[in-house]
């Protein structure tokens, strides 16, 4: 089983819909991150969390929100999806010591 | 100015060739440096950390030049399986955020 699991793996939705992407991890890491990846732009940080009660905005948080329900779970929500949010989304964890990130397999989101 | 910049390539090299990638970073407070590998439509995975003294892992050698603010990755004796996108990653001394380059695409040709 994967250490960092993202669901769903693929999602097609319509403009204006609210959707949630889920991430869970079994690595026991405190730090969790959400990124989006667009062709030619690399990974951009959306939100990150260092603890259950800690939420921080990244470079591109507008239009997104997150919830850290437990140490192992970090979900990303698009309150009202728009087409330019079509991208590949990755969740990642880090132990904060070696600063190595471990990624989930990604969620491919299409907003029509 | 981007925190991390890489030549996107693509680099197309024959099997057995040696290829090198460079990456520059803009913030002199950067503390930790990494190379990640990303296969098409897959998640990034750590290839190697980059230490000040330089480090080697088999056919891969990573170097850090703090004075010029760049890191490099050298791949010797390229294999077909090395074909991927290589991402340069930098963190600041707080370790709070990771900054990713856009990646350098490598294709090893038979």
């Amino acid at each position: 089983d994967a250490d960092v699991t993202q669901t769903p793996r693929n999602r097609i939705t319509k403009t204006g819909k609210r959707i949630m992407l889920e991430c869970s991890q079994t690595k026991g890491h405190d730090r969790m991150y959400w990124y989006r990846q667009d062709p030619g732009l690399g990974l951009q940080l959306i939100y990150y969390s260092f603890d259950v009660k800690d939420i921080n905005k990244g470079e591109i948080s507008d239009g997104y929100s997150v919830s850290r329900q437990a140490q192992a779970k970090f979900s990303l929500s698009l309150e009202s999806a728009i087409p330019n949010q079509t991208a590949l989304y990755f969740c990642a964890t880090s132990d904060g010591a070696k600063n190595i990130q471990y990624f989930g397999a990604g969620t491919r989101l299409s907003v029509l | 100015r981007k925190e991390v910049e890489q030549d996107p390539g693509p680099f197309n090299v024959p099997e057995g060739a040696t290829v090198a990638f460079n990456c520059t970073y803009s913030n002199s407070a950067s503390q930790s440096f990494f190379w990640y590998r990303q296969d098409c439509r897959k998640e990034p995975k750590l290839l190697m950390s980059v230490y000040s003294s330089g480090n080697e892992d088999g056919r891969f050698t990573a170097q850090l030049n703090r004075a010029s603010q760049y890191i490099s990755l050298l791949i010797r004796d390229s294999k077909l399986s090395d074909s991927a996108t290589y991402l340069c990653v930098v963190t600041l001394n707080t370790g709070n955020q990771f900054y990713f380059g856009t990646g350098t695409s490598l294709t090893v040709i038979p």
Side-chain angles (χ1 to χ4, degrees), chain A:
Chain A
D1 288 343
D3 293 322
V4 184
T5 302
Q6 290 184 234
T7 56
R9 293 293 315 280
N10 294 280
R11 178 75 183 267
I12 300 174
T13 192
K14 294 183 179 180
T15 297
K17 294 290 188 181
R18 181 181 189 276
I19 67 164
M20 180 181 290
L21 309 184
E22 309 263 12
C23 177
S24 62
Q25 52 117 345
T26 58
K27 298 192 75 68
H29 291 165
D30 289 325
R31 301 184 177 194
M32 298 187 74
Y33 307 77
W34 274 105
Y35 294 90
R36 65 175 279 174
Q37 187 174 37
D38 299 273
L41 292 181
L43 278 84
Q44 296 175 278
L45 182 64
I46 306 172
Y47 272 96
Y48 62 101
S49 168
F50 285 179
D51 199 348
V52 173
K53 297 181 181 178
D54 176 72
I55 300 291
N56 304 281
K57 293 183 177 181
E59 307 166 74
I60 55 163
S61 58
D62 288 349
Y64 302 94
S65 63
V66 291
S67 174
R68 185 81 184 267
Q69 304 95 319
Q71 188 210 32
K73 296 183 182 295
F74 192 36
S75 59
L76 175 72
S77 294
L78 286 69
E79 298 301 325
S80 179
I82 56 177
N84 76 0
Q85 291 177 313
T86 293
L88 181 57
Y89 289 83
F90 287 108
C91 173
T93 74
S94 170
D95 65 3
K98 295 182 178 179
N99 277 336
I100 295 171
Q101 291 208 305
Y102 299 87
F103 287 83
T107 295
R108 191 165 297 276
L109 175 66
S110 295
V111 183
L112 305 178

Side-chain angles (χ1 to χ4, degrees), chain B residues 16-105:
Chain B
T18 295
V19 61
F21 308 136
N22 284 333
C23 164
T24 58
Y25 59 94
S26 61
N27 195 324
S28 59
S30 298
Q31 192 71 21
S32 301
F33 308 88
F34 309 90
W35 284 101
Y36 278 69
R37 171 193 169 126
Q38 185 174 24
D39 293 296
C40 187
R41 294 175 174 264
K42 298 286 184 70
E43 72 273 25
K45 292 183 179 179
L46 179 70
L47 178 66
M48 56 197 306
S49 302
V50 186
Y51 304 118
S52 296
S53 56
N55 48 301
E56 186 174 310
D57 182 3
R59 297 180 294 106
F60 298 84
T61 300
Q63 298 276 356
L64 167 64
N65 185 319
R66 286 191 181 273
S68 300
Q69 295 184 200
Y70 76 84
I71 68 173
S72 64
L73 177 68
L74 181 77
I75 305 175
R76 291 181 298 279
D77 188 24
S78 298
K79 311 292 185 190
L80 297 177
S81 57
D82 294 334
S83 297
T85 296
Y86 291 83
L87 306 174
C88 171
V89 184
V90 171
T91 70
L92 299 180
N93 54 9
T94 58
N96 288 353
Q97 296 192 33
F98 294 74
Y99 296 95
F100 287 77
T102 54
T104 298
S105 174

